[in-house]
Amino acid sequence: MGAAAAWQLAGRGLRVRAFDARRPPHSAGSTHGGSRVIRETAFEHPRYVPLVRRGYQLWADLAARAGRQLLSPSGALYAGVPQASVVAGSRQSAQAHGVACEELTAAQLRARWPVFACADGMIGLFEPGGGILRPESCIRALLDAAEGEGASLHFDEPMLEWGVAGNAAWIRTCTARYEAAHLVLALGPWMLPILEPLARGIWVERVVQHWFVPRGDAAPLSPGRMPIYLWEDADGEIFYGFPMLDGAMKCAVHHRGESTTADTARRSVSADEIARAESLLAKFIPAAVGPRIYSAVCLYTNTPDGDLLLDRHPAYERVILASPCNGIGFKFVPAIGEIVADLAQDRSPRFDIAPFGIARLRA
């Protein structure tokens, strides 16, 4: 989100400095792992559909600028028990905004995608427009675009403190002190110490992603033949994953991870965590089960109500907060960058961001 804001602000002719404590793309936060879901529907709330539609447009603009593909269409399948929120919520947002989707019975799911093990009574909703974003390529493209518009990018330069004095915001890094008219804080899980005094219930969650190599024929698991999927069981657990990319099947459980912090997150992955992922894969996509080749920790930064946080700092008008995003934010990144740029220029964003305000989270 910070890279997207830098791109948008520099593209409007503003002088921009952007800082990262590491050299992105990196694997310390929430934007790694080779793939991210993009879907026009939103089982979380219909309010996200216009935002992601703008995201689709801006990802396409960025891809054209970069001269390479950032988004691969695959279709998205939401499936599970009849009460599954991923189905009901996606259906509601599709109906509210006219998103093309197809309702499917268990028999129809099995007929169309034999790789999915659909028990009788399960239901599905298929969105043809869903797809896969490549996060590392997306981040490189955003940074290249920001730099191309004149932004000054500072890598391996962590921010040590920040504040507001008079008509300027300032930060001090390991190298120097800088001032600007506005400060955008898009720190992902490193937002926690900034937000804890301001908002109740903010927390960082450790989520593990896994990659398996199928033992058998992988052709039915390829992106052209298998969609991305979100599968919800009777207890509300959401298991999601991707078709074969880069020689492996990536999968994970959405949420239900342990509470942590950005700097103390347990990076090792236990045998129980691997076994749990393998059991879910065996339950829903038996053909995908095979040797696990890799696991990686991803950090979600969460609000108690599951909505984004996108607002000005309650005490400092010159400081803009862009995070948490509850593990759903990557697809919105360029649209959020545009909103941040509007806020920095005292413009009204094209979207109603009141539901994402910090006031709802104040103690």
Side-chain angles (χ1 to χ4, degrees), residues 137-149:
S137 292
C138 290
I139 291 166
R140 291 189 187 97
L142 285 166
L143 293 169
D144 288 347
E147 196 167 38
E149 294 289 355

Side-chain angles (χ1 to χ4, degrees), residues 163-289:
V164 175
N167 294 323
W170 59 269
I171 68 168
R172 185 174 66 84
T173 73
C174 60
T175 301
R177 187 180 187 276
Y178 304 88
E179 288 190 355
H182 291 86
L183 171 62
V184 177
L185 296 174
L187 309 180
W190 290 272
M191 292 287 280
L192 190 61
I194 293 172
L195 294 175
E196 280 182 321
L198 303 174
R200 56 176 174 79
I202 306 295
W203 65 292
V204 175
E205 179 182 13
R206 175 185 173 276
V207 176
V208 184
Q209 306 167 342
H210 305 271
W211 286 258
F212 292 86
V213 177
R215 288 194 175 91
D217 180 15
L221 306 170
S222 63
R225 296 176 61 179
M226 174 183 166
I228 56 176
Y229 61 89
L230 285 81
W231 207 287
E232 187 172 343
D233 220 337
D235 68 350
E237 183 176 66
I238 297 172
F239 181 66
Y240 77 94
F242 299 81
M244 282 280 289
L245 292 171
D246 307 321
M249 298 277 294
K250 175 185 169 184
C251 62
V253 173
H254 185 49
H255 289 300
R256 303 207 173 185
E258 64 192 48
S259 180
T260 187
T261 72
D263 295 320
T264 63
R266 178 167 57 92
R267 296 290 173 174
S268 61
V269 177
S270 71
D272 286 345
E273 290 172 320
I274 296 166
R276 176 60 177 155
E278 186 172 7
S279 70
L280 289 168
L281 203 60
K283 179 177 181 179
F284 296 121
I285 317 173
V289 176

Side-chain angles (χ1 to χ4, degrees), residues 62-73:
L62 186 68
R65 179 182 181 123
R68 62 181 181 271
Q69 188 177 29
L70 302 177
L71 192 162
S72 300

Side-chain angles (χ1 to χ4, degrees), residues 49-200:
V49 175
L51 189 63
V52 78
R53 280 177 169 166
R54 183 60 178 158
Y56 271 96
Q57 293 170 353
L58 291 172
W59 284 125
D61 292 348
L62 186 68
R65 179 182 181 123
R68 62 181 181 271
Q69 188 177 29
L70 302 177
L71 192 162
S72 300
S74 65
L77 176 65
Y78 319 115
V81 295
Q83 69 270 27
S85 64
V86 296
V87 178
S90 298
R91 180 192 298 119
Q92 180 186 16
S93 66
Q95 291 172 344
H97 293 280
V99 181
C101 288
E102 183 181 0
E103 300 268 359
L104 297 165
T105 65
Q108 290 170 324
L109 287 168
R110 290 191 294 264
R112 184 171 302 186
W113 299 288
V115 295
F116 291 126
C118 302
D120 289 341
M122 287 190 171
I123 59 172
L125 186 75
F126 178 63
E127 178 187 337
I132 303 164
L133 289 166
R134 296 292 214 157
E136 289 86 355
S137 292
C138 290
I139 291 166
R140 291 189 187 97
L142 285 166
L143 293 169
D144 288 347
E147 196 167 38
E149 294 289 355
S152 175
L153 307 182
H154 298 243
F155 300 137
D156 300 313
E157 189 172 347
M159 180 182 71
L160 303 179
E161 58 180 341
W162 63 274
V164 175
N167 294 323
W170 59 269
I171 68 168
R172 185 174 66 84
T173 73
C174 60
T175 301
R177 187 180 187 276
Y178 304 88
E179 288 190 355
H182 291 86
L183 171 62
V184 177
L185 296 174
L187 309 180
W190 290 272
M191 292 287 280
L192 190 61
I194 293 172
L195 294 175
E196 280 182 321
L198 303 174
R200 56 176 174 79

